[in-house]
Amino acid sequence: MSSTGVGPLGFIKSRVNTAVCQEILEHFVLPSANELYGDADFIFQQDLAPAHTAKSTKTWLSDHGITVLDWPANSTDLNPIENLLGIAKRKIKDMRPKNAAELKAIVEASWSSITPQQCHRLIASMPHCIEAVIDAKGAQTKY
């Protein structure tokens, strides 16, 4: 996601290790970044999962010219994607898919219904979120 909208949704069928992480970056993140930003620079935000912080993943990101946001551990209140996922989950919470194909279709529909305006509002709310985390001395906030 970015302040201009969401990229395509990808479904991963395995655990995310370093190799899988780099495949996701190659096949999902780079095309999404190109679609959302074109030639403009961007800063990539990710959590500190081991696959994301592995030396080879850091090298991969650097080799592809991707600037990564320095990020504190355990900071979900500061990650707008968490709120976006909450929006998507609320849209599908009462649906009862009968099989995996129906579930996938429901998730895809929920994701594609997210508007650029919703994404922009989440990104624009970040200064308030940061202020709340500082005021809470790093404890959980309403965000």
Side-chain angles (χ1 to χ4, degrees), residues 16-90:
V16 178
N17 59 27
T18 303
V20 172
C21 177
Q22 291 168 27
E23 287 180 31
I24 292 167
L25 291 167
E26 181 78 34
H27 299 291
F28 293 101
V29 174
L30 285 181
S32 291
N34 189 48
E35 180 181 316
L36 295 167
Y37 297 103
D39 291 334
D41 290 334
F42 67 95
I43 298 173
F44 183 59
Q45 179 181 0
Q46 61 183 358
D47 63 22
L48 298 178
H52 300 168
T53 58
K55 185 175 181 178
S56 64
T57 301
K58 289 180 178 181
T59 299
W60 189 98
L61 290 162
S62 177
D63 289 349
H64 288 81
I66 298 174
T67 302
V68 178
L69 181 66
D70 285 332
W71 198 242
N74 302 316
S75 53
T76 57
D77 287 346
L78 299 177
N79 195 338
I81 191 72
E82 298 298 333
N83 291 320
L84 188 67
L85 293 172
I87 291 168
K89 286 177 186 177
R90 284 189 295 279

Side-chain angles (χ1 to χ4, degrees), residues 90-136:
R90 284 189 295 279
K91 290 180 179 190
I92 65 174
K93 74 177 180 112
D94 293 327
M95 298 186 177
R96 303 286 181 245
K98 294 178 179 54
N99 54 49
E102 281 185 20
L103 175 61
K104 185 176 178 181
I106 289 168
V107 170
E108 287 174 329
S110 173
W111 187 254
S112 66
S113 73
I114 295 167
T115 67
Q117 294 80 10
Q118 287 173 303
C119 294
H120 181 77
R121 280 193 301 272
L122 287 172
I123 300 297
S125 74
M126 290 314 299
H128 298 291
C129 295
I130 292 167
E131 203 172 292
V133 169
I134 291 169
D135 289 346

